[in-house]
Amino acid sequence: MPGAIATGAVCAATLGLAVGGCAYASLWPTSQIFGRTLIASGNGDEVALTFDDGPNDAATHQLLNVLARHEVRATFFNMGDYARAKPEIVREVVAAGHVVGNHTMSHPKMSIESATRIRQELTDCNAVLEDITGEAVKFFRPPFGARRPYVLRAARELGLTPVMWNVTGYDWNPIGVDRILANLDKGIAKNRLRGCGSNLLLHDGGHRAMGTARTDTVQAVDRLLSAHRATATRFVTVDTWVRE
Ligand SMILES: [Zn+2]
């Protein structure tokens, strides 16, 4: 079993498993109905930036520059197909101290795929990432947040902790920097009021094609980090929320 997984419904360490779980009982994507997933801690000052669908030669490097300037580490859920095409970007991400997780090879909708395909997507992505980084992959985010019991079970059998989120940037829509930032601010504030940490869903890539523009995301992250510079907010990687 991979370490601990956040518990649902309450912001407290329960079952002796989690550092502290923060999840709504029934709302997607924080629903725990299909099995427990890691979301966030019970510390409202903790915020995890997570980036899906990379590596992306049009955005990841710019994002790394912003994160480095603010001395912040983040979590990147990479697609195996893209990682194989751009291994140097994955190496750059890991060398900068960020966490890299599994986002499948090709981004299928896993809630409707066969068990064989699901397992293959997970195993192949792990193999590609581990070959590039030399490190075991420990985290998995299901594409589209789609999951069913088998998806989570297959992930855990491969030593992967499934990770969802509780703040959505909606940065895959062309909504502009201000609205992405407003989505993040609103979510963080709401979680803080509930005494929950925040797990921010953002994208450094696009699952439809390598080279997707993410300039707005990069700028929104820069502004978010600037705004939180002198506050109690602590930006963490998702492994912070799991204990052996
Ligand atoms: Zn994705």
Side-chain angles (χ1 to χ4, degrees), residues 52-53 77 79 103 107 141-145 201 203 206-207:
D52 290 8
D53 300 354
F77 290 98
M79 284 169 56
H103 198 45
H107 214 276
R141 175 167 283 159
F144 311 106
L201 173 67
H203 295 78
H207 70 270

Side-chain angles (χ1 to χ4, degrees), residues 22-58:
C22 276
Y24 300 98
S26 58
L27 296 179
W28 186 92
T30 50
S31 169
Q32 303 291 306
I33 290 168
F34 297 117
R36 280 179 293 136
T37 53
L38 176 64
I39 298 169
S41 72
N43 180 343
D45 289 335
E46 290 186 342
V47 177
L49 289 162
T50 72
F51 299 100
D52 290 8
D53 300 354
N56 177 9
D57 52 8

Side-chain angles (χ1 to χ4, degrees), residues 102-236:
N102 182 322
H103 198 45
T104 73
M105 284 302 284
S106 64
H107 214 276
K109 197 157 201 170
M110 297 180 100
S111 51
I112 56 169
E113 293 294 344
S114 70
T116 309
R117 171 88 191 275
I118 288 168
R119 206 175 168 86
Q120 199 70 50
E121 285 276 345
L122 291 173
T123 318
D124 290 354
C125 184
N126 265 9
V128 168
L129 294 177
E130 288 173 5
D131 188 46
I132 295 169
T133 68
E135 294 173 8
V137 181
K138 294 179 181 164
F139 299 96
F140 158 66
R141 175 167 283 159
F144 311 106
R147 61 213 187 275
R148 63 174 203 251
Y150 180 76
V151 175
L152 301 184
R153 196 164 69 239
R156 292 199 190 98
E157 281 169 9
L158 294 169
L160 296 166
T161 297
V163 180
M164 297 300 285
W165 63 92
N166 61 9
V167 177
T168 308
Y170 294 100
D171 61 335
W172 61 87
N173 293 322
I175 58 176
V177 181
D178 288 346
R179 280 188 58 198
I180 295 171
L181 192 57
N183 291 336
L184 302 179
D185 281 337
K186 194 174 153 196
I188 293 169
K190 192 173 162 189
N191 285 328
R192 191 169 259 149
L193 275 177
R194 297 166 55 235
C196 290
S198 289
N199 185 324
L200 276 45
L201 173 67
L202 290 162
H203 295 78
D204 63 324
H207 70 270
R208 287 189 187 86
M210 171 68 68
T212 301
R214 293 295 183 210
T215 315
D216 288 354
T217 302
V218 173
Q219 284 183 28
V221 169
D222 195 9
R223 282 172 55 187
L224 179 81
L225 295 177
S226 296
H228 284 264
R229 190 182 277 277
T231 69
T233 306
R234 201 162 68 88
F235 288 93
V236 300

Side-chain angles (χ1 to χ4, degrees), residues 25-98:
S26 58
L27 296 179
W28 186 92
T30 50
S31 169
Q32 303 291 306
I33 290 168
F34 297 117
R36 280 179 293 136
T37 53
L38 176 64
I39 298 169
S41 72
N43 180 343
D45 289 335
E46 290 186 342
V47 177
L49 289 162
T50 72
F51 299 100
D52 290 8
D53 300 354
N56 177 9
D57 52 8
T60 308
H61 188 74
Q62 290 87 326
L63 186 59
L64 290 177
N65 284 343
V66 167
L67 295 171
R69 189 149 34 79
H70 292 279
E71 297 181 324
V72 161
R73 308 263 188 279
T75 306
F76 291 78
F77 290 98
N78 282 347
M79 284 169 56
D81 282 347
Y82 290 173
R84 192 156 55 191
K86 306 284 176 186
E88 67 283 359
I89 305 179
V90 182
R91 275 187 217 106
E92 196 185 351
V93 170
V94 172
H98 305 291

